[in-house]
Amino acid sequence: MRLSLLLLFAILVTEAHAQPVPIWSTAESQVTPFTASYSSAAPAILENGDALLVAGESSREGYASTVRLSLVGTTRGQFGGEPINGGPLVAEAVLATQGEFAVLRMTERQGEFNSPRALVVMVDAAGQIRWLLPRFGREARFLANGDVLLNSRNQVIRLRGSDGDLVWVRNLLDLRSDAIEAALWLPQEIGPQLILGIDFTERARDGQQIHPAPSYLSLDLATGATLWERRRAATSRRAFQACGNVAIGGDPVFAWFETTGVATDVVLERLAATDGALLWSARTADVEYSDGPCGFAATNSLVAISSHDEFTGLTTLAALSHAGAALWRHHLPVRAASKLVPGAAGALLIASPALLPGDIDGSRIEARRVSDGGVAWSTPIEAPKIDWRVLGSELRVAGAVVDQGAATLLLRRLDVTTGALLPGAQTGANGRSLLAANVEFIDGVPFAARSTGNLDLREIVVKRSEPETGAPTWTRTHLLTQTPQRITFIDVVAIPAGRLLVRVNFQITEPTVQNVLTLLVIDRNSGNEIWQRDFALGNFGSPSVIGTSDGSLYARSTVCANPPACTNIQNQLEKLGSVNGATVWTQQGNFSPLAARGVDLIGIRDTNQLTLVSAGNGAAFWSQVLPNSQSIPGFVALDNGDIGAMLEFRSGPMRKLDIQRRSAANGVPLWSTRPGEFDDVIVSGLLSELPDGDLLMTARFSGPEQVGRSRPLLARVDADTGALLWTQRPLSSGDRWQSVRAMLGATATHKWARSLRYLDDLNVQYEERFALTSVRLLDGAIGPEHLFARNYDEPLASAGFGTVFAVAVAGDGTVQVENSRPDSMGLRMPRLQRWPAVGSEHGDIVVRRLGDAGDIVGLGPSVDVEFEIELASASSATDAKAGFVSNEDGLLAILRGCTVVGGGQCPTNLNSALEQSLSLGPNAVMRLRYEVFDQSFRPGEQPNSRSRAIFHVDPPYMFGDDNLGNNIHVMHVSLGGMSDGFE
């Protein structure tokens, strides 16, 4: 099928749809200026004459800053976020501006071994993202209604400006049966129709590349349909464009470069906009050209073109009349390609990169006379990258300078008649960062601690909130005894005796540069300080601290013995008194505390000795050497003082987890059990205690019946006898991997857990789905999963990846959540939230792709793909989200049709590429038809590579899916060849 209308999936940077509306939510940090380093910057002039700068950071991965500069003030913004796979965000160009909005070409680097991801991003002048596409954009133009035309390699795409949805797309390769590339430039100004000149590259039968005569094509702006098409007259030389066409009296004028040997001519052709008829053609012979874009402009009296030769260092500047007659020509000694715009009274403005006095890398703007092309005036601009716009009697210029990591935005105003500089402005870019902060639910109560950001950085604010409402119970400000230069981090730790421990790591400079740890002990009920103590540390992290029921602390740390050099470090265990934190005793050596037992402390000495030490002096009561290749990743202090321990055993490929009960008297095992089958590889264990005292282990395993498939392993162990009451060892479903981890909150019948699912087992793919589930204590059955966060490897700030952490389920079923999802600046603002209890409705949303299994192939640039969605339940599912995602491989899709049997509501917005809502009645079946397009399409061949995408139906949070892995389909598409009209 030979199709001209394609549509694309657009990603909106919004809240993750799976997350519920919180009952309450708090933001627990402050945003402060961050002195960032920048590697790239792109300037633009907005319609009102303000300057806009977009600068990609080199000091932090994944962030970009924006600056809007007017004559009266500055607005700074930031977007991005911590990338999943590492790498900077590069600002390559501002492609177009209209009103308060700008379309950007960005590159998101993805680590050392992965190729960069190209992005097209729309932001407002305050630096907030409106929408983005994981797509290469060579050029963009705004339409009058705010929509955007995008030149993306072989395609022209129209995007809806409000949300990035697709209006239409044309794959221009579909015009020629042997084409492998379609090179084009968008018109500099868009008229009532889109008129393009297209230079095709074709592959001949002998495998050589040929360049037939280019085509002229007119497209309907509303639909993308062809209005008329003409072939340019054939020549013996390849003809190509280096800039977009201009208009004279509504007719397009194109510039075609033709190269023979070492000589290059440029041919200007004016066409009739109505039907493409050639009105005139004019050749300018032997111009300077080697590579790069040309300058092209039409004033009210002439048409001018400039082209540059990087080898000779010269630029040709030539002018013709509106009738195509040659007027004048100059050779200019400039450093790179020049830009042209119309000036006042028909004059021509030319901007060229220049080396200014003092070896300043800048630009020079000149006004050229209409009569002879001579210089009327010339003004230097101290920026190598500029954008400009004529506003009445002024020429507004935005310049970007990146020097030693600093990005500066210049706003220059020139009198358009004389070139005289008028008062302007300039400023530098600055990022935004969060002050150190930490949030925790402790015994179900929300606590937060943060730095205030005052000049001396001594103030630490600690807050306790009400679990039911999130309202502050108390807020206290505590002063550190020393003045930090920089606070590295803050964390909040639960300790017994009704106390709260706040650890503050910071750096001081007097008398020398040192790292300091402050332990701040606070009364939980009042917020009052009990004691505070500083420790001088080397660069070895923060110590682990264990609290006791009498209010004293045990701290295991690495101490710098000779600051500031710290060439001598010591490991030690220290007991701190409950009244003032004074040292009660110190024991040298490597001791990691596991738990305090009132009058003594249990821990690991020298990595393999389970040891009980005295609370009075630190002397060992007993020590048990663990078997070789064993460690204790899990530990539970039982009520009678005995120890519930999980030992990890490794021997070659064998990896097991043993569950033990060890005597409080001497540490000897009372019993030991090893869950799982003989051939299972078991890793990543977690041990927790059930309400009746039994032990629950959750781990991951792979067994011989599904080699390489990592799955959850759950086991309940009788705490008195060590008997395995049950073991849950499920098979993986489809191609999904699942982990289940117990969390706080349990009843007599079940324990709550978090579930994490991955898509595929590839290093370059990071799709994840986080769900709240339950484990039935009777037999270990895993309950329905309530999806609450997701990540489909979205570019820039990802709403689901590693930011949402459900920590507990309260007695009323509400969920306590630590949520540091990125905000509009890409910063992971620490939040505490209370979510509603999950609903009682549950079932299984099952997605199936209809048709032949395996890769999706077809002729032409698109193919229809149908998905069947079944709700295998007697309940209804409302507001499920259906979407199609191909963030890496560029597959495009548009919803074309929907039918439903058994009750429900189809998506309301057909012919859209955005994610949409649907509802399913009990046991209903819905069929969605998508038109899917492959950007790797080549009409004369079947591509060798496959493009990957996922189709997903995400259930609402209140609906528990029996098998969350069933509602995603990973597909591969490979389209090529031409339609014969009969398929």
Side-chain angles (χ1 to χ4, degrees):
M1 83 195 134
R2 190 179 173 106
L3 297 169
S4 61
L5 297 182
L6 318 179
L7 284 134
L8 170 68
F9 180 83
I11 296 176
L12 293 175
V13 180
T14 59
E15 299 285 325
H17 289 296
Q19 293 183 13
V21 177
I23 298 173
W24 55 257
S25 179
T26 64
E28 303 295 357
S29 189
Q30 291 181 341
V31 178
T32 59
F34 175 75
T35 304
S37 295
Y38 299 94
S39 59
S40 61
I45 286 288
L46 302 178
E47 285 183 316
N48 69 347
D50 290 353
L52 178 69
L53 180 76
V54 182
E57 282 194 29
S58 57
S59 51
R60 295 181 298 182
E61 295 180 341
Y63 286 97
S65 296
T66 64
V67 181
R68 178 181 183 169
L69 178 61
S70 70
L71 297 178
V72 296
T74 302
T75 303
R76 289 185 171 86
Q78 177 178 283
F79 63 90
E82 301 171 23
I84 294 172
N85 211 19
L89 187 62
V90 180
E92 296 189 341
V94 179
L95 299 180
T97 63
Q98 185 185 78
E100 295 290 300
F101 296 98
V103 177
L104 316 175
R105 181 171 69 233
M106 310 288 293
T107 299
E108 184 183 44
R109 301 287 176 179
Q110 299 185 77
E112 182 179 356
F113 303 107
N114 296 319
S115 59
R117 171 160 48 190
L119 304 173
V120 176
V121 186
M122 179 183 277
V123 299
D124 63 22
Q128 302 300 299
I129 296 177
R130 195 175 201 185
W131 50 259
L132 64 89
L133 298 170
R135 195 75 173 166
F136 172 76
R138 184 181 188 182
E139 305 172 281
R141 301 285 186 270
F142 273 99
L143 301 181
N145 70 344
D147 286 358
V148 175
L149 285 179
L150 186 68
N151 176 3
S152 180
R153 293 193 172 96
N154 301 312
Q155 297 174 324
V156 179
I157 305 171
R158 178 169 175 172
L159 301 167
R160 196 163 63 198
S162 59
D163 56 13
D165 200 2
L166 273 249
V167 181
W168 53 259
V169 179
R170 282 295 301 267
N171 190 325
L172 300 176
L173 292 182
D174 206 25
L175 295 170
R176 300 286 182 93
S177 60
D178 296 316
I180 59 175
E181 183 180 355
L184 69 136
W185 291 77
L186 294 177
Q188 297 189 29
E189 295 185 5
I190 306 298
Q193 57 184 313
L194 179 62
I195 303 178
L196 305 171
I198 309 169
D199 167 27
F200 289 98
T201 300
E202 297 182 351
R203 179 169 288 130
R205 298 193 178 208
D206 59 3
Q208 298 296 315
Q209 292 185 4
I210 60 175
H211 300 278
S215 288
Y216 290 117
L217 181 69
S218 175
L219 301 180
D220 185 291
L221 278 176
T223 65
T226 298
L227 297 177
W228 52 259
E229 181 182 0
R230 284 182 177 269
R231 289 283 185 102
R232 186 174 182 265
T235 65
S236 59
R237 296 180 287 181
R238 180 194 175 188
F240 60 92
Q241 295 179 93
C243 46
N245 61 74
V246 298
I248 300 175
D251 293 331
V253 180
F254 291 84
W256 295 98
F257 289 87
E258 298 179 355
T259 301
T260 299
V262 297
T264 300
D265 297 350
V266 61
V267 180
L268 270 59
E269 295 182 348
R270 179 176 178 177
L271 308 183
T274 54
D275 57 5
L278 181 64
L279 300 180
W280 56 255
S281 176
R283 180 180 297 270
T284 301
D286 196 18
V287 299
E288 305 291 340
Y289 184 81
S290 59
D291 195 10
C294 60
F296 201 21
T299 74
N300 58 13
S301 57
L302 55 79
V303 180
I305 188 165
S306 68
S307 59
H308 180 73
D309 191 325
E310 63 180 0
F311 301 107
T312 65
L314 297 175
T315 289
T316 297
L317 176 63
L320 292 79
S321 71
H322 284 187
L327 297 178
W328 44 260
R329 172 175 174 161
H330 295 281
H331 288 282
L332 311 177
V334 298
R335 305 179 68 198
S338 302
K339 300 178 180 179
L340 306 178
V341 296
L348 181 71
L349 299 179
I350 178 171
S352 306
L355 187 63
L356 304 180
D359 289 335
I360 297 175
D361 194 13
S363 303
R364 184 169 296 279
I365 297 179
E366 297 176 341
R368 294 279 172 161
R369 293 187 295 267
V370 175
S371 58
D372 59 2
V375 177
W377 54 259
S378 176
T379 301
I381 303 294
E382 58 273 37
K385 297 176 68 173
I386 66 169
D387 186 40
W388 54 354
R389 188 189 296 263
V390 176
L391 296 175
S393 61
E394 285 187 22
L395 175 65
R396 292 284 179 104
V397 182
V401 179
V402 177
D403 183 23
Q404 297 182 346
T408 303
L409 174 62
L410 287 64
L411 175 59
R412 297 291 180 256
R413 302 166 58 220
L414 282 69
D415 185 291
V416 75
T417 303
T418 66
L421 280 171
L422 305 173
Q426 70 182 58
T427 190
N430 276 92
R432 295 290 185 269
S433 65
L434 292 178
L435 292 174
N438 185 231
V439 294
E440 297 288 344
F441 283 99
I442 297 176
D443 296 334
V445 178
F447 288 92
R450 62 174 173 84
S451 169
T452 64
N454 290 342
L455 293 179
D456 63 4
L457 293 179
R458 294 180 62 203
E459 292 184 347
I460 303 297
V461 175
V462 184
K463 182 173 71 173
R464 172 175 174 159
S465 299
E466 294 292 340
E468 293 78 17
T469 64
T473 304
W474 51 253
T475 301
R476 299 287 185 270
T477 299
H478 301 280
L479 289 178
L480 300 175
T481 57
Q482 301 186 67
T483 300
Q485 179 195 36
R486 180 174 64 93
I487 294 181
T488 307
F489 77 88
I490 297 174
D491 68 346
V492 179
V493 181
I495 55 176
R499 298 183 176 191
L500 188 72
L501 173 64
V502 179
R503 298 189 294 189
V504 184
N505 235 13
F506 59 92
Q507 189 178 80
I508 60 174
T509 57
E510 296 294 338
T512 59
V513 176
Q514 294 183 49
N515 290 320
V516 178
L517 171 74
T518 291
L519 297 184
L520 180 63
V521 177
I522 298 170
D523 184 283
R524 286 196 210 178
N525 292 324
S526 65
N528 296 329
E529 179 178 321
I530 299 175
W531 58 261
Q532 178 182 165
R533 183 173 168 187
D534 295 340
F535 296 83
L537 297 176
N539 298 312
F540 314 114
S542 183
S544 57
V545 179
I546 297 291
T548 68
S549 58
D550 65 359
S552 58
L553 299 180
Y554 296 102
R556 185 265 187 189
S557 61
T558 305
V559 179
C560 173
N562 58 336
C566 291
T567 57
N568 183 13
I569 60 173
Q570 298 176 353
N571 296 319
Q572 69 176 22
L573 176 66
E574 184 173 5
K575 182 175 181 179
L576 309 179
S578 63
V579 177
N580 56 12
T583 300
V584 177
W585 51 255
T586 300
Q587 290 282 353
Q588 300 299 314
N590 186 7
F591 188 96
S592 299
L594 296 177
R597 305 193 315 168
V599 296
D600 47 32
L601 176 71
I602 188 77
I604 299 293
R605 185 189 300 276
D606 298 331
T607 72
N608 71 333
Q609 297 181 48
L610 184 64
T611 304
L612 183 71
V613 301
S614 168
N617 58 13
F621 284 137
W622 52 255
S623 184
Q624 291 288 340
V625 177
L626 300 177
N628 291 334
S629 305
Q630 289 204 359
S631 60
I632 298 184
F635 179 93
V636 174
L638 303 179
D639 290 340
N640 72 338
D642 285 349
I643 303 156
M646 180 169 59
L647 274 68
E648 184 177 39
F649 171 77
R650 298 189 184 190
S651 178
M654 183 177 291
R655 302 180 69 178
K656 301 291 184 181
L657 293 175
D658 292 335
I659 309 301
Q660 297 182 344
R661 180 173 187 141
R662 289 179 173 255
S663 169
N666 55 18
V668 172
L670 301 176
W671 53 255
S672 181
T673 188
R674 178 173 289 180
E677 301 295 329
F678 176 78
D679 292 332
D680 288 344
V681 174
I682 305 174
V683 297
S684 303
L686 179 72
L687 191 66
S688 59
E689 191 174 14
L690 298 176
D692 64 355
D694 284 347
L695 300 178
L696 176 68
M697 183 196 78
T698 58
R700 291 172 66 90
F701 85 104
S702 59
E705 74 278 22
Q706 285 188 317
V707 177
R709 295 285 181 93
S710 179
R711 292 161 276 156
L713 175 68
L714 292 86
R716 178 174 179 171
V717 182
D718 187 297
D720 296 324
T721 66
L724 277 172
L725 301 179
W726 51 256
T727 300
Q728 181 64 253
R729 189 178 171 276
L731 296 177
S732 64
S733 61
D735 60 353
R736 309 297 186 265
W737 287 259
Q738 176 190 21
S739 67
V740 175
R741 280 287 181 266
M743 54 186 280
L744 294 176
T747 68
T749 59
H750 67 273
K751 185 172 181 61
W752 290 100
R754 293 184 300 271
S755 174
L756 168 62
R757 289 181 180 267
Y758 300 91
L759 276 70
D760 290 352
D761 193 23
L762 303 174
N763 290 332
V764 296
Q765 305 296 343
Y766 290 89
E767 292 99 350
E768 298 179 338
R769 294 145 72 83
F770 301 84
L772 180 67
T773 186
S774 62
V775 178
R776 192 166 59 194
L777 299 183
L778 176 65
D779 55 10
I782 300 173
E785 296 175 301
H786 299 267
L787 183 69
F788 65 77
R790 66 186 193 185
N791 165 63
Y792 298 133
D793 196 15
E794 292 97 343
L796 299 184
S798 173
F801 184 79
T803 61
V804 183
F805 187 64
V807 297
V809 177
D812 61 358
T814 59
V815 184
Q816 294 179 331
V817 180
E818 295 175 14
N819 192 347
S820 297
R821 183 179 58 255
D823 62 4
S824 60
M825 291 178 289
L827 300 172
R828 297 193 177 191
M829 181 74 70
R831 298 177 179 88
L832 293 175
Q833 295 179 339
R834 183 183 179 205
W835 285 358
V838 297
S840 59
E841 292 79 16
H842 71 271
D844 194 6
I845 296 177
V846 181
V847 168
R848 292 180 288 266
R849 177 167 65 89
L850 303 182
D852 296 334
D855 291 357
I856 299 169
V857 297
L859 297 176
S862 72
V863 63
D864 280 357
V865 180
E866 287 189 302
F867 299 96
E868 190 173 79
I869 307 166
E870 179 184 1
L871 178 57
S873 172
S875 301
S876 297
T878 59
D879 200 30
K881 304 296 181 181
F884 182 97
V885 183
S886 180
N887 291 326
E888 294 293 337
D889 293 341
L891 288 176
L892 321 176
I894 178 68
L895 180 60
R896 293 300 192 192
C898 173
T899 58
V900 61
V901 177
Q905 178 65 51
C906 282
T908 58
N909 189 15
L910 293 180
N911 299 319
S912 172
L914 300 179
E915 180 181 83
Q916 298 192 57
S917 297
L918 57 86
S919 297
L920 295 167
N923 300 305
V925 176
M926 181 178 294
R927 182 172 293 185
L928 299 181
R929 178 173 60 88
Y930 280 81
E931 191 175 2
V932 179
F933 315 93
D934 186 0
Q935 71 171 354
S936 300
F937 161 75
R938 296 292 182 269
E941 62 187 39
Q942 192 75 20
N944 296 323
S945 61
R946 306 179 307 164
S947 298
R948 176 183 180 273
I950 62 172
F951 172 73
H952 60 92
V953 179
D954 293 329
Y957 169 76
M958 303 297 286
F959 180 88
D961 201 344
D962 281 342
N963 189 346
L964 195 60
N966 280 349
N967 49 23
I968 279 188
H969 179 79
V970 180
M971 71 197 80
H972 295 89
V973 178
S974 180
L975 303 182
M978 295 293 290
S979 167
D980 60 10
F982 293 97
E983 67 273 10

